């Protein structure tokens, strides 16, 4: 009888600890959202841009210039030349 009570208590404690631990683990979608940099508007144009400004406005991941990092985020790397060469990551 004592073994049954001890076993029941042990199983209950393990179940409670497992529930507490699993409830604190972030879901994969939450981790992905936290790790992604903000998406901002960017004027992607070289020295001369014929037509309206809206034609050259794109959504990019702010601060991402590395092509591999861009692809990991699900973006599309792009570079354009103006007064210098600019590398951006188009948010798709």
């Amino acid at each position: 009888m004592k073994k049954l009570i001890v076993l029941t208590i042990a199983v209950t404690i393990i179940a409670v600890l497992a529930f507490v631990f699993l409830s604190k683990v972030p879901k994969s979608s939450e981790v992905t959202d936290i790790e992604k940099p903000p998406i901002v508007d960017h004027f992607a144009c070289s020295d001369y841009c014929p037509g309206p400004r809206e034609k050259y406005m794109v959504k990019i991941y702010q601060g991402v210039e590395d092509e591999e990092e861009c692809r990991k985020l699900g973006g599309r790397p792009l570079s354009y030349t103006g007064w210098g060469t600019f590398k951006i990551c188009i948010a798709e």
Side-chain angles (χ1 to χ4, degrees):
M1 184 71 170
K2 286 184 180 181
K3 288 183 181 179
L4 181 61
I5 293 172
V6 171
L7 183 62
T8 304
I9 292 171
V11 169
T12 304
I13 291 172
I14 291 171
V16 168
L17 290 175
F19 177 75
V20 168
F21 175 74
L22 292 176
S23 67
K24 290 186 179 184
V25 175
K27 298 175 184 164
S28 61
S29 63
E30 292 173 354
V31 172
T32 303
D33 292 340
I34 292 170
E35 293 175 355
K36 286 190 175 184
I39 296 174
V40 296
D41 289 325
H42 181 80
F43 184 62
C45 180
S46 61
D47 293 338
Y48 176 68
C49 308
R53 178 179 173 89
E54 295 80 27
K55 181 178 178 181
Y56 303 96
M57 294 302 292
V58 292
K59 300 279 186 187
I60 66 167
Y61 288 110
Q62 185 177 20
V64 178
E65 296 179 356
D66 182 59
E67 289 183 14
E68 185 177 325
E69 182 182 357
C70 179
R71 287 189 181 96
K72 285 180 184 177
L73 291 169
R76 180 174 49 94
L78 177 74
S79 65
Y80 63 93
T81 304
W83 287 98
T85 299
F86 301 95
K87 295 182 179 183
I88 57 175
C89 180
I90 306 289
E92 297 183 319

